[in-house]
Amino acid sequence: LVVASGALFALQFFFFQRDYKRDLVSAASIIANMSTGAIDFGSEQAAFEIPSALRAKPHIQGAAVILPDGKVFATFGNIDLGRGVADAQKDGFHSHGGDLDFSQPIVRNNERLGTLYLRSDYRSQLLKLHGLYASILVVVLALSFFVAVVISSKLEHVISDPIQTLADTARQIADKSDYSVRAPKGAADEVGEFTDTFNSMLDQIQSRHLALQEAHGQLEHRVAELTRELQRENAERGRAEVVPASSHRE
């Protein structure tokens, strides 16, 4: 989730930056077209009607109309060019204190009448975006963590109990050497298949254990018979040795 959210965060930042630039270009084109009449008539009063087009763009802090000779024809909003008139006349985007500004040529009939310079509050808009998506990320991760805890607490017994039962069965067999014990099978899943394999192994061990016990019993029985035969032979040999000795004395 963190990786996916980070990728989405980066993607949103890319789209925000692209759309932000498109919005500045669109706004600059509209205002530049509105400024041609004011420049033609040299009417600063007409130029002051431009701020009405900026009210719908709160992220644009201000604008300036600069004539080709570098003279500032009119300014609007919070903008102070200072010594930056030459830079403002360069078409395209500019970075100004972390903000993103844009210069648009004012053209009529292929004649350049001046330059429109827009200053935008890019940094604060970017911080708002970061704050918004960071909040969304925190909420998503918190909800996901809560759901994961609930689900895992419900599924824990389904997964861990059969394994714990197998461990208890193996421990009981190891402690008591009782190979007749079998692990109860739960669901027909991977753990259930493992339980069947475990019980099948116990069947083989028990069969070999019983065969070994039977062979051991037969061996003990055979040893006992051989011992009795040997004792009987020894007894008969002892009696045979006693009879000749008695006859010799007589």
Side-chain angles (χ1 to χ4, degrees):
L1 282 172
V2 171
V3 172
S5 299
L8 182 61
F9 195 92
L11 188 64
Q12 290 295 335
F13 172 75
F14 168 77
F15 285 129
F16 168 78
Q17 192 175 39
R18 184 196 64 181
D19 295 340
Y20 193 91
K21 289 182 177 180
R22 287 180 177 178
D23 184 66
L24 280 182
V25 172
S26 176
S29 298
I30 295 174
I31 298 174
N33 290 331
M34 295 175 59
S35 304
T36 56
I39 295 176
D40 281 337
F41 294 103
S43 174
E44 296 184 14
Q45 184 65 31
F48 280 110
E49 297 178 1
I50 293 178
S52 61
L54 301 179
R55 293 193 182 98
K57 308 288 184 181
H59 58 281
I60 298 179
Q61 294 178 315
V65 176
I66 306 172
L67 299 179
D69 59 2
K71 178 183 177 182
V72 179
F73 180 72
T75 60
F76 319 99
N78 182 21
I79 187 170
D80 182 14
L81 295 177
R83 297 181 180 179
V85 175
D87 292 335
Q89 287 180 293
K90 297 178 182 178
D91 297 342
F93 293 97
H94 311 278
S95 179
H96 176 78
D99 293 333
L100 189 64
D101 303 339
F102 181 70
S103 295
Q104 166 78 28
I106 302 174
V107 180
R108 184 174 60 81
N109 296 330
N110 295 325
E111 179 185 1
R112 182 160 186 160
L113 303 179
T115 302
L116 174 69
Y117 179 73
L118 295 181
R119 175 165 294 171
S120 68
D121 191 9
Y122 176 78
R123 179 166 30 184
S124 65
Q125 297 297 316
L126 184 61
L127 290 177
K128 288 180 181 179
L129 177 71
H130 286 176
L132 174 63
Y133 280 99
S135 301
I136 295 175
L137 177 60
V138 170
V139 172
V140 169
L141 289 178
L143 290 176
S144 301
F145 179 77
F146 174 75
V147 172
V149 169
V150 173
I151 294 177
S152 62
S153 63
K154 299 297 183 181
L155 296 180
E156 180 181 7
H157 299 294
V158 177
I159 298 174
S160 63
D161 285 355
I163 298 177
Q164 185 62 44
T165 301
L166 282 174
D168 294 338
T169 303
R171 190 178 301 108
Q172 181 179 357
I173 295 172
D175 293 340
K176 299 181 180 180
S177 298
D178 184 4
Y179 300 105
S180 63
V181 178
R182 296 292 180 270
K185 180 180 178 180
D189 52 9
E190 290 83 357
V191 179
E193 182 178 354
F194 180 71
T195 302
D196 290 337
T197 305
F198 181 76
N199 290 332
S200 177
M201 180 186 67
L202 289 178
D203 290 337
Q204 297 179 16
I205 294 176
Q206 185 181 20
S207 297
R208 295 177 183 178
H209 181 69
L210 292 176
L212 182 61
Q213 285 184 331
E214 183 178 357
H216 183 70
Q218 292 177 354
L219 180 61
E220 288 183 345
H221 181 69
R222 181 59 179 165
V223 169
E225 288 182 351
L226 291 176
T227 301
R228 287 194 295 272
E229 290 179 2
L230 182 61
Q231 288 176 350
R232 185 170 58 253
E233 289 178 0
N234 289 335
E236 291 177 355
R237 186 180 295 111
R239 288 195 296 270
E241 290 177 353
V242 171
V243 172
S246 300
S247 301
H248 179 75
R249 283 197 301 271
E250 289 177 355

